[in-house]
Amino acid sequence: MIKILLIEDEPGIQETIQITLESEGFLLTIASTGSEGLKMVTAEISIVILDIGLPDLNGFEVLKLIRQKYQIPVIFLTARNFEIDKVLGLEIGADDYIVKPFSPRELLARIRAILRRTQNPVSNEPISNQKIRISLEKKLIYFNGNSLNLSPYEYKTMELFFKWPGRIFTREEIMDNVWTEPEDSFDRAVDTVIKNIRARFKELDPNFDPIETRRGQGYGLKEII
C-alpha cells in the first residue's frame, strides 16, 4: 500500500485530503505541525504533502530538514501564488506545488504523476545515447543505469532537449513546450529547473554536465555526451 504523509494544520483540508486519498486506496498519515511531521518521515513514505504556512516551522524549513536525510517526493500546498515561493520551492527540492484552493482531482493527478515517475520499472523501448536513456512510456530518465529523481518539469525539459540534441531553446520556447499552466510560467523558473537537472546528474557524476548554456540565447542538450 502506498503511504503518504500530509503535514497540514487546517482540519478542513486534512479531512478533504484524507477522504480523497483513502477512497483511492492510499494509506494517509497526518501531522498538524512541522515538528510533528518530521518525526513521521521515514523511508517507507512514498510522498509528503507539505503545507508552507504551518504554525511552527514553515514548509520551506521542513523541506530542507527532510532533504538532509531523504529524497522522498514532496508536493507543496500553498495559499500564496507568489513567484518567489515557486522559485524557492523548486530551488530547495520540491517536486511539485499546488495553490489553494485546489480540487481533489488535481491533487490525485499530481500524486499519480509522481508515483509513475518514481516507482515504475524501465520501459523496454527507451530512447538512448551513450550515457542517458529516456523511457517515454514510463517518463523516466536513466544515467549510467541509475534512475534520476526528476520533477515533472525537469523530466519534460530533458525530454524536449533529448529530442533535439544540439538545438538551443529560448526560455520562452521551453515554457511553451514544458509548462502546463500559464500562471506557472516565468523566466526564473526555467533557470531553476536547469540548475536542478545539473545537480541531479552531478550527484551521480560530479564531472558530468549534459546541458549547454548560451548566454542571451537559452539552453539545450550537448550534441556529444
Side-chain angles (χ1 to χ4, degrees):
M1 180 176 290
I2 302 297
K3 297 182 180 180
I4 296 176
L5 172 61
L6 170 64
I7 308 177
E8 165 66 60
D9 64 314
E10 296 184 34
I13 294 179
Q14 289 179 354
E15 182 179 3
T16 297
I17 292 178
Q18 183 173 18
I19 292 172
T20 299
L21 297 190
E22 291 184 351
S23 67
E24 294 294 322
F26 297 108
L27 178 62
L28 183 68
T29 303
I30 301 175
S32 297
T33 67
S35 299
E36 182 185 1
L38 287 169
K39 295 176 182 178
M40 297 180 179
V41 178
T42 69
E44 295 181 350
I45 300 295
S46 297
I47 295 176
V48 176
I49 303 172
L50 176 59
D51 183 28
I52 290 179
L54 295 168
D56 53 349
L57 305 172
N58 67 47
F60 299 128
E61 294 170 322
V62 174
L63 177 56
K64 288 179 182 179
L65 292 171
I66 291 174
R67 285 290 177 260
Q68 290 179 7
K69 292 185 177 181
Y70 303 101
Q71 291 301 314
I72 299 169
V74 173
I75 300 175
F76 265 142
L77 298 180
T78 176
R80 305 178 299 182
N81 194 17
F82 297 149
E83 176 177 325
I84 186 63
D85 288 345
K86 298 175 183 179
V87 171
L88 181 57
L90 289 170
E91 286 181 341
I92 63 177
D95 294 80
D96 208 342
Y97 55 83
I98 299 179
V99 178
K100 301 176 184 178
F102 58 88
S103 71
R105 181 178 298 180
E106 178 186 10
L107 177 61
L108 278 172
R110 303 290 181 100
I111 289 172
R112 286 170 174 154
I114 288 176
L115 291 175
R116 285 195 298 270
R117 173 169 56 83
T118 58
Q119 297 191 350
N120 283 347
V122 186
S123 168
N124 292 327
E125 298 181 352
I127 299 177
S128 64
N129 63 17
Q130 291 182 346
K131 294 186 176 183
I132 303 173
R133 293 188 301 158
I134 299 182
S135 167
L136 297 177
E137 180 183 357
K138 303 299 183 183
K139 299 188 183 302
L140 294 171
I141 295 182
Y142 294 82
F143 173 57
N144 285 341
N146 297 294
S147 176
L148 293 178
N149 184 26
L150 299 179
S151 72
Y153 286 153
E154 292 161 9
Y155 167 80
K156 290 177 183 177
T157 300
M158 276 299 295
E159 181 182 354
L160 174 67
F161 289 173
F162 210 89
K163 290 178 178 178
W164 301 90
R167 175 179 171 179
I168 299 300
F169 293 85
T170 66
R171 290 177 177 85
E172 291 77 13
E173 288 174 330
I174 295 171
M175 288 188 289
D176 288 344
N177 283 277
V178 171
W179 263 251
T180 56
E181 300 293 337
E183 63 269 20
D184 290 345
S185 302
F186 47 94
D187 286 353
R188 287 188 60 195
V190 175
D191 296 338
T192 298
V193 164
I194 297 297
K195 175 183 175 182
N196 287 348
I197 291 173
R198 284 182 163 134
R200 301 289 190 270
F201 280 103
K202 289 184 181 298
E203 288 173 0
L204 299 174
D205 184 347
N207 298 314
F208 185 77
D209 181 6
I211 307 298
E212 181 175 355
T213 301
R214 291 188 190 174
R215 186 178 299 274
Q217 297 183 42
Y219 303 101
L221 188 69
K222 294 176 181 177
E223 288 190 80
I224 300 177
I225 300 177

